Amino acid sequence: MQYSDRMSLLGTEGAFEVLARCKQLEARGKQIIHMEIGEPDFDTPANISEAAIKAIRDGHTHYSPSAGVPEARAVVAEYLSKTRGTKVAPENVVIAPGVKPLVFNAILAIVNPGDEVIVPNPGYPAYESVVSFIGAKPVPMHLREENNFRFVVDELKALVTPKTRMVVINSPQNPTGGVLTPENLEAVYALAEEHDLWIMADEIYSRIIYDTEFASIASIPGALKRTILMDGMSKTYAMTGWRLGYAAVPKPLAEHLAKLNINVFSCNNTFIQYGLMEALTGPQNDVDKMVAKFKKRRDVIVAGLNKIDRVSCLTPLGAFYAFANITKTGRKCGELADMILNEYGVACLAGTAFGEFGEGYLRFSYANSIDNINKALALVEKALAEV
Ligand code: PLP
């Protein structure tokens, strides 16, 4: 049977591929410590689950408006207005089954074949994959370790051409844990104004941040008129399997995104949006506890990685990933990641799962217990001693 040509342009996501490989190994009886997937190991807070269960009991089990339940859009608008220090109206909000479909649909709605989109590299692979899929060109913005995994402003400026349509930023960042400063955001905004570019701001880790304050490009006056501001429930509220994300966008784009929702899945799952409302308006102490735990784990894993011969790791300021530099081993990161999984039972991701500039790194998700992190560190040390 034949498939469309465009399918060869669509990438995948290393984390899900490695997860599938782990499941096969586990089915054969191998013990694996999971540090590959970007998913909090905590349960969704009970008040959120209860709100969704109540919504089912109350009969919220029917189709709902495609951009989101109106009350949920209003709650998101208020939450974003408060947390980003700006004014977001409910009609600017679109809800979707995760941030990932918003990345897909917003690129689909804005970018033409032949356009260029500047994407962080190493960076979350969906951006590059979707841009290629629609026949546009992903242009890598190199995030360098020596610059704390932030872009270099002059390098970013040099990437803009008459074909550039959009710049993607992600802070706190996957896979490096890097966090952009207000000055970085000002620079992106100034560039976008100068060249009439869209800004896709993926802020899914906005609340998982340590030792520093979160800054959003949306708080720059005027930025929202050219920004797709995205956040979601997966990471902050340990709701990965619920599939819930949201964006604040200019109204005409909200209408395009709603139309894409209609065409692809009609509407979001209705009752889970009641969970979203409870999450964003209810008590936040579970989030605070989770972030405090992540911070402890971060300190353990970063200290442990830095003790391993020929490995170094910057202290990430956000998200829950340690991006360890293994260039001194002289080995390719893909080869090392495979060896560490197959022979030592620790699943991590090769830096190249996040683009060409990820070579020389391994990403460890520290959404795991301190006990498992310590076990994994000992195994990684043993593995690297052999190369
Ligand atoms: N954006 C980034 C930077 C991510 O790391 C992830 C998940 O790993 C997502 C988006 C996708 O999140 P969601 O579960 O909301 O689709």
Side-chain angles (χ1 to χ4, degrees):
M1 300 306 291
Q2 304 254 318
Y3 297 94
S4 68
D5 295 342
R6 76 177 75 84
M7 283 315 292
S8 65
L9 302 172
L10 193 61
T12 176
E13 190 175 333
F16 285 95
E17 289 189 329
V18 174
L19 180 66
R21 200 155 2 117
C22 291
K23 293 291 165 203
Q24 288 170 352
L25 291 168
E26 283 170 332
R28 284 191 242 131
K30 190 158 177 80
Q31 294 258 336
I32 292 182
I33 302 178
H34 288 271
M35 305 195 83
E36 76 286 20
I37 194 98
E39 134 156 288
D41 55 322
F42 303 102
D43 287 332
T44 302
N47 59 314
I48 301 174
S49 300
E50 287 306 326
I53 292 165
K54 178 171 182 305
I56 296 180
R57 293 212 175 96
D58 291 347
H60 297 294
T61 52
H62 300 273
Y63 289 135
S64 49
S66 52
V69 167
E71 296 89 324
R73 291 174 81 192
V75 163
V76 170
E78 205 177 314
Y79 173 79
L80 286 176
S81 301
K82 198 171 74 189
T83 52
R84 271 59 172 191
T86 184
K87 183 77 202 108
V88 175
E91 65 262 27
N92 298 111
V93 171
V94 178
I95 295 174
V99 166
K100 208 177 218 179
L102 287 164
V103 169
F104 197 103
N105 287 346
I107 291 174
L108 208 58
I110 290 170
V111 180
N112 279 314
D115 286 347
E116 294 178 4
V117 176
I118 299 174
V119 295
N121 190 319
Y124 182 55
Y127 316 130
E128 182 174 330
S129 171
V130 178
V131 171
S132 301
F133 187 59
I134 62 157
K137 183 177 162 202
V139 176
M141 160 166 53
H142 194 166
L143 305 183
R144 298 172 189 276
E145 183 178 350
E146 61 270 27
N147 203 34
N148 292 313
F149 293 117
R150 296 176 181 128
F151 60 85
V152 176
V153 176
D154 286 338
E155 285 183 356
L156 171 58
K157 283 185 183 165
L159 298 176
V160 178
T161 76
K163 290 186 176 167
T164 309
R165 185 74 146 204
M166 178 189 279
V167 181
V168 180
I169 52 173
N170 170 215
S171 175
Q173 212 238 354
N174 177 11
T176 64
V179 170
L180 296 177
T181 63
E183 294 72 33
N184 297 147
L185 300 173
E186 288 284 355
V188 172
Y189 178 60
L191 201 66
E193 277 284 317
E194 187 185 340
H195 298 276
D196 194 21
L197 309 177
W198 281 93
I199 302 162
M200 175 175 274
D202 183 346
E203 300 185 350
I204 194 163
Y205 298 101
S206 59
R207 300 270 295 274
I208 305 177
I209 191 158
Y210 327 98
D211 313 330
T212 186
E213 290 285 306
F214 170 68
S216 170
I217 198 151
S219 42
I220 300 176
L224 271 180
K225 70 177 186 297
R226 54 175 70 256
T227 299
I228 304 121
L229 167 65
M230 303 183 300
D231 199 342
M233 313 308 289
S234 288
K235 318 289 178 177
T236 303
Y237 296 97
M239 291 169 71
T240 45
W242 291 59
R243 309 310 302 128
L244 261 177
Y246 50 83
V249 296
K251 200 160 165 270
L253 178 57
E255 284 161 11
H256 287 309
L257 294 178
K259 220 193 300 176
L260 283 160
N261 282 4
I262 291 175
N263 278 274
V264 183
F265 48 80
S266 298
C267 70
N268 296 283
N269 177 320
T270 303
F271 52 83
I272 63 168
Q273 295 177 66
Y274 289 79
L276 173 148
M277 289 187 254
E278 171 61 23
L280 296 184
T281 57
Q284 301 295 307
N285 43 335
D286 284 320
V287 179
D288 299 339
K289 275 193 233 157
M290 185 175 78
V291 175
K293 283 195 176 155
F294 278 144
K295 188 173 178 206
K296 281 199 184 126
R297 296 163 176 193
R298 176 199 68 164
D299 293 342
V300 170
I301 193 163
V302 171
L305 286 166
N306 280 308
K307 278 195 200 126
I308 300 177
D309 190 29
R310 295 170 298 156
V311 175
S312 62
C313 186
L314 281 191
T315 301
L317 295 177
F320 37 71
Y321 309 111
F323 204 55
N325 184 324
I326 49 88
T327 44
K328 287 196 179 136
T329 64
R331 293 298 188 92
K332 295 271 186 217
C333 59
E335 200 187 305
L336 281 188
D338 284 348
M339 188 268 272
I340 292 171
L341 172 61
N342 295 330
E343 294 172 32
Y344 290 86
V346 177
C348 65
L349 294 185
T352 43
F354 302 93
E356 68 208 89
F357 296 126
E359 183 54 85
Y361 295 89
L362 292 175
R363 190 197 79 169
F364 295 89
S365 162
Y366 51 86
N368 209 325
S369 66
I370 291 200
D371 200 29
N372 275 340
I373 290 171
N374 279 325
K375 281 186 194 145
L377 284 166
L379 289 164
V380 171
E381 183 164 24
K382 236 164 127 184
L384 295 187
E386 285 194 9
V387 299

